Amino acid sequence: MQLIFMGPPGAGKGTQAQLLAALWKIPHISTGEILRACVVAKTDLGQKAQSYMDRGELVPDEVLMDIVQERMNQPDARAGWILDGFPRTVAQAAFFDKLLCDVEGSTSGKDCALRAVNLDVPDNVLVARLLSRGRQDDNEETIRRRLQVYREQTEPLIDFYSGRQQLVAVDGDRAMELVTAELQQALSRDS
C-alpha cells in the first residue's frame, strides 16, 4: 500500500493518514510533522522552513525532497506507507515518480502501486477547522493565504494523478468515521 494524501490544509489528511496507517500497520510519513520537529529543535532546516511557514508559503522543493528521500530509504517504508504533505507541486510529483522508480525498479510511477487520495472540503469549513486548532501559524489571514497557495500550486496534482488513473477522490466534509470508512472501502477495492 503506497498512498499519498492530498487536500487543502485542514481537510483531515493527517487524521485519516494516522488512522489508516495504524489499521494497515504501515508508517504515516508527515512532512509537516518532520518540518515542525526541525523548527522546535531549531535546526538549520527548521529555521529555514520557519520563515516560509510563517508567511503561509510552501517550503522549497529541494528541502522537502531531501527529507522525503531520506525517509523513504528507511527500512519500515519498504512494506508500504502513507505520505502526507508531499508532493505539493507537479514538479515534486515528477521527482517522487523518479524516486519510486529507483526504489522499486519500475520504469514509470504509473507502474507502481501508488494511489493519490484527495480529500475535498469547502474553504469555509477549512478556515473554521484551522482556526479551532489554535496553532501559532493558524490565523485567518495566514490560513487564507495557505488556501490560495494550495489552489495555485497543489491543486494541479489532482489532474496529474487523475490522468494516470491513480486518484481516489473522497468528500472530506463529513464525520471522521464516514470518511475513514469510505477510504477503507475505496482503497481496498483499488489494491
Side-chain angles (χ1 to χ4, degrees):
M1 186 78 60
Q2 298 177 337
L3 301 172
I4 293 172
F5 273 52
M6 302 186 319
K13 298 179 299 290
T15 299
Q16 293 297 332
Q18 287 175 342
L19 290 168
L20 294 174
L23 179 72
W24 292 326
K25 296 178 179 30
I26 57 177
H28 166 221
I29 302 169
S30 167
T31 55
E33 285 181 16
I34 294 168
L35 286 171
R36 281 190 288 278
C38 291
V39 168
V40 168
K42 298 188 185 308
T43 66
D44 289 341
L45 171 62
Q47 290 175 347
K48 196 180 295 184
Q50 179 77 53
S51 65
Y52 292 96
M53 293 163 65
D54 285 347
R55 294 190 307 266
E57 303 284 338
L58 295 179
V59 175
D61 284 359
E62 61 273 4
V63 174
L64 282 177
M65 289 179 192
D66 287 345
I67 289 170
V68 170
Q69 186 165 12
E70 182 179 303
R71 181 61 182 92
M72 297 303 292
N73 287 327
Q74 293 179 9
D76 67 335
R78 298 208 196 301
W81 37 262
I82 298 175
L83 189 55
D84 164 16
F86 185 90
R88 289 190 175 184
T89 65
V90 172
Q92 289 176 359
F95 162 81
F96 193 61
D97 184 46
K98 182 183 179 319
L99 177 65
L100 283 178
C101 293
D102 291 347
V103 169
E104 295 184 359
S106 65
T107 57
S108 161
K110 291 185 276 190
D111 300 334
C112 303
L114 178 71
R115 292 288 172 264
V117 175
N118 184 52
L119 297 176
D120 191 32
V121 180
D123 281 3
N124 62 329
V125 174
L126 297 169
V127 171
R129 284 182 184 178
L130 291 170
L131 286 173
S132 71
R133 291 195 310 196
R135 284 192 191 154
Q136 181 181 350
D137 60 338
D138 283 346
N139 62 63
E140 188 162 354
E141 181 181 340
T142 304
I143 289 168
R144 294 215 179 266
R145 174 66 184 141
R146 288 168 56 201
L147 291 173
Q148 179 185 354
V149 169
Y150 170 80
R151 301 281 180 237
E152 293 168 359
Q153 297 183 21
T154 306
E155 229 172 35
L157 288 173
I158 295 169
D159 291 335
F160 179 86
Y161 288 113
S162 181
R164 296 166 158 244
Q165 289 77 48
Q166 293 176 308
L167 184 69
V168 176
V170 173
D171 177 3
D173 186 20
R174 296 175 293 155
M176 181 179 63
E177 299 80 14
L178 294 175
V179 175
T180 304
E182 184 177 338
L183 285 168
Q184 285 179 278
Q185 182 179 11
L187 295 170
S188 62
R189 184 177 58 236
D190 277 354
S191 56

